[in-house]
Amino acid sequence: EEEAEASAPVDRDRDLLGGARSKIRGRLDKLFDDVFRGFEDQAERADDQARYWDAYNCVINECQFYHGTAEIYFPAIRDAINAIVTRLGNQMFPQGGRAIEEVSADGTQASGLIGLLEHYLREAQYEINVNRPLCRHLQIEGHGNLYVDWAEIERQVVSRETHGPRIEIGGEQVEAPGEDIEDIKEETIVEGRPVFEVLHDCDVLILPHTADTPEEALANGGSVTIVRRWSKTKIDQMEEGGQIQKRAARDLKDAMAKMSRGESNQEKKLVEHVGIQAKGSEATVWETWTMLPLDDKGAYSEDGRPRLCRVFFGPEREALGCKRNPYWNDRLPLWSKPWEKVAGVQKGDSPVSRVASLQYEINDAINEGADAATLSAGPIIRRDSEKSNGPLVLAIGAIWDAPAGAIEMMTFPDLTPRAVTRVQMGIQAIFQSLGVNPSMLPQQTSTSKSNQAKVAQEQAIDLLTTAEGVKVLTDAGTWALGWMVDLDYQFRDTEITVRQFGDLGREAELEQVAPLQNRSGFSFLWRGAEQVKMMAMMQQQGTALLNVARGMRQELMAEGMQLRLAPAFEAAFQSVFGAFLGSKILIDQRHQLTMSQGEENAMLGEGFEVHVHPLDN
């Protein structure tokens, strides 16, 4: 009994708050003070980021120096950021190439699991909903924050089945000869997949501020906090899921009308920017991750070992719920990295901060020129009142009776050339500072005639700058893949997966990777950016190098080396024909696993085509 109790897993769904006077509440009360002061300390940073979002969304704010009649906003920063997002996004997801690669210590490949991960990425629309917004946040806010979780949805599926008449013989249903009968079958299935959320930097707090990573902050006794805004429906869902206490949920809904603390809500501003009025009350809740001492049974103890826990704080300093990390890998489900890392500082500075003043100068120049052009449309008339004092009517074909020299037409100076020069200088400075070159734009900005050397130079610069900028996004993609593998191992139902995906689901079932093995024995890496470079290298140097290696096969064998051409051909086929079609053209028979007759019959019954291994007798 003692051995069974010692080996039993800790209840991660256990509520750690206890009663109203428990010791843990006093500790959490001090933690809330640190969190609240931390958000106050970064309030100035949140205000600056709101102005940077105004620059991207072309919203005129108080930063403009010139205030005239015209209100034109030239989208220089927006064009530059969109060019960067487009180029880096295409590098992360190459056309026809596989973005995921698996590396293992023993040389085996989890092809079925990789296929399932690609399915998760497609379902989550990672390229559109995650990768591009994350890149945009990195450029505007200078810091990226990505949160991952597992979500499930229940569906009632209706199917049509056709079978012959059935009679009972010996207690079993057996089909009998006769006309086919059509039945309608309804069943409930549960679909689950990883979900990702790109967070605004003003909603994420990492204490201490000098920690290089969120993991380092937690290891040093700090915390990681995310601002959540819940509706009444969301509060009910959290209560039903056991994440917060029932009494706390009831008090939170009662206090929703008076919980305005004036915190920065960038999401609401962006919703209003697209023309949607963000109405309805929401409760501001703080989701805080921190290390709390727990005993071997998972209860709070001052003498226990630090364990990662998640706490929900309400607006009235009240802890709504506190539980141990619900994920089996015991990791923080938040990726947080700056665009440009500075030693000793966790958060990064926004690249837009260096060019925001240039954007305001462009706006002032173009608005001054527009106002001057508008005033020039209405000419100024100067006349000598002693020579002519009659009425002057501005109309087509009007006749003014006046002696020569009595009436003179005056116009405002044309400021358009000067405005165009100021705008072009500002655009060039912004593009240069943000690293945008002409090859990244829809049309060339250079007016000079391009030659072959100039085009090659621009392509080389584009390749270097893009390879450097995509590293942060690649790190986020690799982190997301590791979490997808861990969540898949924890939550996936193998029986449903096999029914839905057939051979692919069966291979994924056989190739489950535990959280302990993931990131060590097995490494799932994001290779999308490297695929583009590999395609260029294969076209330029790969074919020549393979021909040289084939001619030196005997010399290599004498040196104890073996030349294997299959991986090169596999990569080439997938680069040319795509990951799906390439795997169908060049088939690896090692992945055509055998299966039992029962499994074959079950898959055939579900409508899948079963591919039998050629060596299976």
Side-chain angles (χ1 to χ4, degrees):
E1 293 179 356
E2 292 178 356
E3 292 179 357
E5 183 177 357
S7 62
V10 178
D11 185 9
R12 295 179 177 269
D13 199 42
R14 178 176 183 176
D15 186 11
L16 303 176
L17 287 179
R21 297 183 179 181
S22 59
K23 295 181 180 180
I24 189 174
R25 289 184 178 271
R27 178 165 182 153
L28 295 180
D29 190 63
K30 296 179 181 179
L31 177 62
F32 180 83
D33 291 337
D34 296 337
V35 170
F36 192 76
R37 285 194 298 267
F39 276 105
E40 289 182 341
D41 294 339
Q42 70 177 24
E44 183 178 355
R45 174 184 173 88
D47 295 338
D48 292 338
Q49 291 176 352
R51 287 190 287 269
Y52 303 151
W53 276 106
D54 288 343
Y56 176 78
N57 292 322
C58 302
V59 177
I60 296 180
N61 53 24
E62 70 279 1
C63 297
Q64 301 296 144
F65 178 78
Y66 174 77
H67 298 280
T69 303
E71 293 185 350
I72 303 174
Y73 207 107
F74 194 91
I77 288 180
R78 184 182 183 88
D79 292 344
I81 291 178
N82 286 342
I84 295 174
V85 171
T86 300
R87 178 53 56 90
L88 298 186
N90 292 336
Q91 288 278 23
M92 288 286 290
F93 290 85
Q95 296 293 332
R98 172 170 289 183
I100 303 176
E101 182 178 342
E102 180 266 331
V103 179
S104 61
D106 55 359
T108 59
Q109 293 185 355
S111 58
L113 187 56
I114 290 180
L116 196 61
L117 294 181
E118 290 181 341
H119 166 74
Y120 287 152
L121 291 176
R122 290 191 298 269
E123 288 294 314
Q125 298 183 3
Y126 188 90
E127 180 179 4
I128 300 175
N129 295 338
V130 180
N131 184 69
R132 293 182 182 272
L134 181 61
C135 181
R136 190 172 292 108
H137 281 230
L138 284 166
Q139 295 295 321
I140 298 175
E141 300 179 351
H143 201 93
N145 299 278
L146 183 61
Y147 191 91
V148 64
D149 199 357
W150 181 270
E152 293 182 347
I153 184 172
E154 188 177 281
R155 304 181 185 273
Q156 283 192 337
V157 181
V158 180
S159 59
R160 182 181 291 107
E161 292 186 355
T162 303
H163 58 83
R166 293 177 178 177
I167 58 176
E168 184 175 351
I169 300 177
E172 296 182 0
Q173 293 288 335
V174 180
E175 290 194 10
E179 186 178 355
D180 290 341
I181 301 175
E182 185 178 278
D183 288 341
I184 301 298
K185 178 183 177 182
E186 183 178 83
E187 63 176 333
T188 302
I189 63 174
V190 178
E191 294 182 356
R193 63 174 176 87
V195 291
F196 300 93
E197 180 183 7
V198 180
L199 303 172
H200 287 277
D201 187 63
C202 60
D203 292 339
V204 178
L205 172 67
I206 299 176
L207 296 176
H209 299 289
T210 56
D212 286 332
T213 61
E215 290 75 14
E216 180 181 340
L218 294 173
N220 294 333
S223 62
V224 177
T225 303
I226 304 169
V227 178
R228 300 295 188 184
R229 297 170 182 91
W230 293 349
S231 61
K232 291 185 177 180
T233 304
K234 181 62 176 180
I235 295 174
D236 293 336
Q237 292 177 355
M238 298 298 290
E239 177 189 350
E240 294 175 0
Q243 300 298 324
I244 60 177
Q245 295 182 344
K246 294 183 179 181
R247 181 184 57 82
R250 183 180 63 253
D251 296 340
L252 184 61
K253 288 187 290 186
D254 294 339
M256 285 181 64
K258 53 180 181 179
M259 57 176 49
S260 176
R261 288 183 174 267
E263 74 277 353
S264 178
N265 189 349
Q266 187 61 43
E267 291 183 355
K268 183 178 180 181
K269 295 179 181 178
L270 294 177
V271 169
E272 294 176 350
H273 173 73
V274 298
I276 301 176
Q277 295 296 326
K279 298 181 179 180
S281 58
E282 291 181 333
T284 302
V285 178
W286 290 267
E287 176 186 344
T288 301
W289 296 79
T290 187
M291 305 293 287
L292 295 177
L294 304 179
D295 58 18
D296 296 336
K297 297 182 179 180
Y300 179 80
S301 175
E302 296 291 346
D303 300 330
R305 299 174 62 87
R307 301 297 182 188
L308 184 59
C309 300
R310 179 172 62 179
V311 188
F312 291 102
F313 289 107
E316 302 298 332
R317 306 177 59 90
E318 181 183 6
L320 306 177
C322 178
K323 292 184 178 181
R324 190 174 173 179
N325 186 4
Y327 304 109
W328 289 0
N329 60 5
D330 205 27
R331 294 175 181 266
L332 179 69
L334 175 70
W335 179 89
S336 183
K337 291 289 181 65
W339 177 251
E340 296 180 357
K341 175 63 179 174
V342 178
V345 182
Q346 207 284 323
K347 294 292 182 75
D349 189 19
S350 171
V352 179
S353 64
R354 308 175 185 91
V355 296
S357 58
L358 295 174
Q359 176 67 69
Y360 304 143
E361 163 66 14
I362 292 175
N363 294 340
D364 291 340
I366 198 171
N367 284 316
E368 290 172 5
D371 284 345
T374 302
L375 294 175
S376 299
I380 301 175
I381 302 174
R382 182 174 64 179
R383 71 176 179 178
D384 189 347
S385 59
E386 295 181 355
K387 296 181 180 181
S388 173
N389 57 2
L392 301 178
V393 180
L394 292 176
I396 298 177
I399 300 176
W400 295 348
D401 296 329
I407 301 176
E408 180 182 359
M409 306 295 293
M410 302 177 61
T411 59
F412 280 93
D414 187 9
L415 301 181
T416 302
R418 187 176 71 173
V420 171
T421 303
R422 293 168 63 186
V423 170
Q424 290 295 336
M425 292 178 59
I427 293 175
Q428 183 178 1
I430 290 175
F431 284 9
Q432 179 178 351
S433 179
L434 295 181
V436 178
N437 56 73
S439 63
M440 299 172 64
L441 300 173
Q443 56 185 2
Q444 295 287 336
T445 57
S446 177
T447 57
S448 60
K449 187 176 181 180
S450 300
N451 52 33
Q452 186 176 1
K454 186 175 181 180
V455 172
Q457 182 182 8
E458 290 181 356
Q459 291 178 351
I461 295 174
D462 175 54
L463 181 62
L464 292 176
T465 55
T466 305
E468 182 67 22
V470 82
K471 289 181 179 179
V472 181
L473 293 175
T474 301
D475 183 77
T478 301
W479 175 89
L481 290 178
W483 261 96
M484 289 168 63
V485 175
D486 292 344
L487 294 175
D488 176 83
Y489 178 81
Q490 180 178 352
F491 295 102
R492 172 163 56 93
D493 190 326
T494 56
E495 180 181 357
I496 295 180
T497 305
V498 173
R499 290 183 56 192
Q500 290 179 337
F501 299 101
D503 283 338
L504 179 64
R506 183 177 179 276
E507 292 182 14
E509 178 185 3
L510 297 176
E511 297 166 347
Q512 283 191 346
V513 179
L516 183 62
Q517 296 175 342
N518 188 19
R519 302 179 179 91
S520 56
F522 285 83
S523 297
F524 294 87
L525 307 177
W526 195 280
R527 296 295 192 188
E530 296 187 4
Q531 286 286 342
V532 179
K533 294 188 292 184
M534 288 178 60
M535 290 175 62
M537 293 177 61
M538 288 286 292
Q539 295 174 359
Q540 298 175 4
Q541 305 174 2
T543 304
L545 181 60
L546 288 177
N547 291 331
V548 173
R550 290 178 59 190
M552 300 180 62
R553 184 187 298 268
Q554 299 297 330
E555 289 79 358
L556 293 174
M557 293 179 62
E559 296 289 339
M561 302 183 68
Q562 181 183 6
L563 181 63
R564 298 181 59 191
L565 301 179
F569 280 99
E570 184 178 2
F573 271 80
Q574 291 187 2
S575 299
V576 175
F577 297 101
F580 179 77
L581 185 59
S583 62
K584 299 295 183 182
I585 298 175
L586 191 65
I587 301 175
D588 188 354
Q589 293 188 358
R590 294 171 299 177
H591 295 164
Q592 294 180 340
L593 305 177
T594 61
M595 65 183 70
S596 64
Q597 296 179 358
E599 290 177 321
E600 289 183 353
N601 294 334
M603 293 180 63
L604 289 171
E606 295 294 336
F608 290 102
E609 180 182 357
V610 178
H611 299 279
V612 183
H613 197 280
L615 302 180
D616 187 0
N617 55 5

